[in-house]
């Protein structure tokens, strides 16, 4: 019998059905808000930049501060939850998320907004890792498969409505209400958590919190992401970027050494020896590059290059996010009818690659019908594996380590999102910078645009999606003509980076397929979810 089919019961006495239902509702309500914040924030970036006069790097950190904090602390929260109790850790995350969202709504400048978003990310890390661990503990067998399908569906709903809601709020009330709405939603969840804590058995495994390991991991992730974000501004071969990368690798090496010697490690490295678990954990990484990067930067393309307003761009993003709403439950039903989960996961990887490839056909004059097919396929690539991959991965792990395993899975998910978004932004800025420099020559009116200069600053402003502001900053005599040049340059840079996403998706798909190969072992995972 395979390991996945011999996992012991998650609790000596399973909670009554009413308690399990209440637990599921509380987790799903909180989970709903987190992806809504991630997808919706991208739509608000142009208005945030115009209001705060922030450059590309501070604007990137409005998204990246959340993602980096989420990535850094997801594994930490997973480990903490196994020590102090998953419901307590979950409740703390809800409170932190609400506080960070309120702080974001009243932030006076981009730096304060970045800090508030980081606090929100810390809370979001607890919601996702502890919420998943609670579900894997309370539910088992077919009920677990359905619970994680709902987990993926609700996350998909958040992703799907995020851009549209944010676009409507930005146009109607201003960008600050994007964050205020998240705070209001979680303040509605918070009063429910104490009741759930009294109804659900406390799951705390004892031991100590791995403070040195947690600190080292956080430092390594911050150094790595900062290096990637600053690569386009400082230069990829600059001493600053190379120094940050070297420091990140050193911190990771020390982290591994500390974890091997720790009696209560934040990450049990033995879990990573299970290649199927590792392969499943890489599936969200593929989704980060193939889907989340577009979720962040496609709205800017739609507004800056195709000339649509924020509200229209938000509505069009439903083409990308709607499949994430529908596909998780479709996948669960297909599994229930005998389709192997790993077959669906493989199909999701194919959809991500094909969708990104088809998006290279976009042009400034692209209509809705041209946009629809590649965006729907890419969204299906994300939706088919959402929730399903979590249940499959956690079925391979000892329930006593479910918090840590969920933390690791979501660390790769959000860590790769932070890295993917940062890499995409930096690559876009780098390629666009070259296009702009070639177009305006030496900054003394070369390249056919009299008066145009400040190539580096113009490129940075344009990479944030503010082409009008970039044209004004250039000093070009023919501002309209120069704005048209910037539109063409942005379009060209966007397509160049898209080809990079396709290449990354292909490589990850091959690696994941190799790790998941093995008929009998894979069948054990399938059986755990039926």
């Amino acid at each position: 019998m395979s390991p996945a089919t011999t996992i012991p019961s998650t609790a000596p006495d399973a909670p009554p059905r009413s308690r399990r239902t209440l637990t599921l509702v509380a987790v799903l309500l909180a989970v709903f808000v987190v992806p809504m914040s991630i997808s919706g924030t991208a739509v608000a970036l142009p208005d945030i930049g115009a209001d705060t006069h922030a450059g590309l790097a501070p604007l990137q950190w409005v998204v990246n501060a959340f993602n980096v904090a989420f990535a850094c602390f997801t594994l930490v929260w997973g480990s903490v939850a196994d020590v102090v109790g998953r419901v307590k850790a979950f409740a703390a995350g809800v409170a932190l998320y609400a506080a960070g969202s309120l702080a974001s709504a009243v932030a006076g400048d981009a730096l304060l907004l970045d800090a508030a978003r980081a606090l929100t990310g810390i809370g979001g890390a607890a919601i996702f890792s502890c919420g998943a661990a609670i579900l894997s503990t309370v539910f088992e067998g077919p009920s677990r498969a359905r619970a994680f399908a709902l987990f993926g569906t609700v996350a998909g709903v958040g992703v799907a409505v995020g851009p549209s809601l944010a676009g409507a709020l930005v146009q109607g009330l201003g960008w600050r209400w994007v964050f205020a709405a998240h705070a209001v939603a979680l303040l509605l969840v918070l009063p429910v958590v104490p009741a759930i804590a009294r109804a659900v058995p406390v799951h705390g495994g004892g031991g100590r919190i791995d403070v040195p390991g947690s600190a080292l991991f956080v430092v390594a992730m911050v150094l790595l992401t900062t290096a990637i974000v600053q690569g386009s501004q400082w230069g990829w071969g600059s001493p600053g970027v190379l120094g940050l990368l070297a420091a990140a690798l050193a911190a990771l090496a020390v982290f591994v050494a500390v974890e091997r010697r720790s009696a209560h490690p934040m990450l049990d490295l033995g879990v990573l020896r299970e290649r199927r678990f590792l392969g499943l954990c890489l599936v969200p990484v593929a989704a980060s590059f193939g889907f989340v990067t577009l979720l962040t930067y496609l709205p800017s393309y739609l507004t800056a290059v195709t000339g649509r307003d924020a509200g229209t761009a938000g509505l069009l993003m439903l083409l990308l996010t709607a499949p994430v709403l529908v596909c998780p439950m479709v996948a669960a039903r297909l599994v229930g009818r005998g389709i192997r989960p790993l077959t669906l996961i493989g199909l999701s990887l194919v959809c991500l690659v094909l969708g990104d490839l088809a998006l290279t056909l976009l042009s400034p004059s692209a209509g809705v019908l041209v946009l629809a097919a590649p965006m729907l396929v890419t969204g299906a690539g994300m939706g088919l594996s959402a929730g399903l991959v979590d249940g499959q991965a956690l079925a391979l792990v000892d329930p006593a380590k479910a918090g840590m395993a969920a933390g690791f899975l979501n660390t790769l998910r959000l860590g790769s999102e932070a890295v993917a978004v940062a890499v995409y932004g930096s690559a876009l800025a780098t390629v666009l910078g070259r296009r702009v420099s070639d177009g305006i020559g030496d900054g003394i009116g070369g390249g056919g645009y009299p008066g145009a200069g400040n190539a580096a600053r113009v490129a940075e402003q344009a990479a944030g999606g503010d082409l009008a502001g970039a044209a004004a900053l250039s000093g070009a005599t023919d501002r309209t003509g120069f704005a048209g040049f910037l539109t063409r340059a942005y379009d060209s840079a966007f397509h160049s980076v898209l080809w990079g996403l396709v290449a990354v998706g292909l490589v990850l798909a091959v690696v994941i397929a190799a790790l998941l190969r093995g008929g009998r072992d894979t069948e054990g995972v399938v059986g755990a979810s039926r």
Side-chain angles (χ1 to χ4, degrees):
M1 188 174 290
S2 66
T5 58
T6 58
I7 292 177
S9 176
T10 56
D13 296 303
R17 183 174 181 178
S18 60
R19 294 183 181 180
R20 296 199 303 271
T21 301
L22 189 57
T23 298
L24 181 63
V25 170
V27 169
L28 295 183
L29 283 173
V31 163
F32 169 74
V33 180
V34 179
M36 183 173 66
S37 174
I38 295 172
S39 64
T41 301
V43 176
L45 287 182
D47 284 73
I48 293 173
D51 188 27
T52 62
H53 307 288
L56 176 63
L59 273 182
Q60 282 184 326
W61 279 101
V62 174
V63 175
N64 287 333
F66 179 94
N67 286 345
V68 172
F70 198 132
C72 291
F73 284 90
T74 299
L75 185 57
V76 174
W77 277 113
S79 178
V80 169
D82 286 340
V83 175
V84 304
R86 293 161 194 175
V87 176
K88 291 181 180 178
F90 176 77
V94 172
L96 285 174
Y97 201 106
S101 296
L102 285 174
S104 299
V106 300
D109 57 48
L111 293 180
L112 290 176
L113 177 58
D114 292 344
R117 290 288 291 163
L119 179 63
T120 308
I122 295 173
I127 290 172
F128 255 71
S129 63
C130 302
I134 288 171
L135 295 187
S136 70
T137 303
V138 173
F139 296 94
E140 55 185 359
S143 296
R144 174 186 280 179
R146 287 191 293 270
F148 274 105
L150 286 170
F151 186 96
T153 298
V154 168
V157 172
V159 170
V161 305
S164 300
L165 178 60
L169 289 172
V170 168
Q171 281 197 309
L173 298 174
W175 64 265
R176 296 181 184 278
W177 279 93
V178 173
F179 304 111
H182 305 153
V184 170
L186 277 180
L187 287 174
L188 294 176
V189 173
L190 198 57
V192 180
V193 177
I196 301 301
R198 291 191 297 269
V200 177
V202 176
H203 296 279
R208 297 193 305 271
I209 297 174
D210 181 14
V211 175
S214 301
L216 284 166
F217 186 79
V218 169
V219 168
M221 287 297 298
V222 170
L223 290 171
L224 175 62
T225 310
T226 302
I228 294 171
V229 171
Q230 296 301 129
S232 61
Q233 277 87 41
W234 297 350
W236 291 100
S238 66
V241 170
L242 293 177
L244 286 170
L245 290 173
L249 290 175
L252 284 174
V254 176
F255 168 75
V256 171
V258 168
E259 295 303 277
R260 284 177 174 172
R261 292 173 173 82
S262 175
H264 304 282
M266 179 181 73
L267 175 63
D268 183 352
L269 299 176
V271 172
L272 304 186
R273 298 190 186 101
E274 170 53 72
R275 62 183 178 85
R276 297 165 301 166
F277 174 75
L278 187 58
L280 289 166
C281 288
L282 288 178
V283 174
V285 177
S288 294
F289 281 92
F291 176 86
V292 177
T293 51
L294 296 174
L295 194 67
T296 303
Y297 286 102
L298 188 56
S300 293
Y301 179 88
L302 294 174
T303 55
V305 176
T306 70
R308 294 172 168 91
D309 58 37
T312 303
L315 287 174
L316 283 175
M317 290 299 290
L318 282 173
L319 293 170
L320 186 68
T321 57
V324 185
L325 166 63
V326 176
C327 288
M329 289 305 296
V330 171
R333 290 180 181 178
L334 290 174
V335 170
R337 293 179 181 179
I339 303 297
R340 295 174 62 192
L342 296 190
T343 299
L344 295 174
I345 290 172
L347 179 60
S348 76
L349 296 173
V350 172
C351 288
L352 286 171
V353 173
L354 291 180
D356 287 352
L357 185 62
L359 282 169
T360 61
L361 300 176
L362 292 185
S363 68
S365 60
V368 175
L369 292 179
V370 176
L371 286 166
M375 292 176 73
L376 288 170
V377 171
T378 304
M382 177 70 176
L384 284 172
S385 63
L388 181 63
V389 72
D390 296 69
Q392 293 295 299
L394 294 180
L396 290 167
V397 179
D398 182 346
K401 298 178 180 179
M404 180 200 65
F408 179 77
L409 173 61
N410 283 295
T411 293
L412 283 190
R413 174 179 280 128
L414 267 293
S416 63
E417 288 182 10
V419 170
V421 169
V423 167
Y424 188 100
S426 292
L428 181 66
T430 300
V431 176
L432 183 57
R434 292 172 183 167
R435 303 280 194 277
V436 172
S437 295
D438 292 342
I440 67 178
D442 58 7
I444 315 178
Y449 298 99
N454 301 317
R457 293 181 61 196
V458 168
E460 179 181 349
Q461 191 83 5
D466 185 9
L467 300 191
L473 183 64
S474 71
T477 303
D478 181 9
R479 189 174 298 178
T480 301
F482 190 74
F485 157 70
L486 287 179
T487 299
R488 294 188 296 275
Y490 191 104
D491 182 52
S492 174
F494 180 84
H495 283 75
S496 296
V497 180
L498 266 180
W499 282 106
L501 294 182
V502 172
V504 171
L506 282 171
V507 171
L508 284 171
V510 171
V511 172
I512 291 167
L515 289 171
L516 295 180
R517 185 175 301 155
R520 186 174 61 180
D521 289 344
T522 301
E523 289 299 327
V525 183
V526 177
S529 293
R530 287 183 181 172

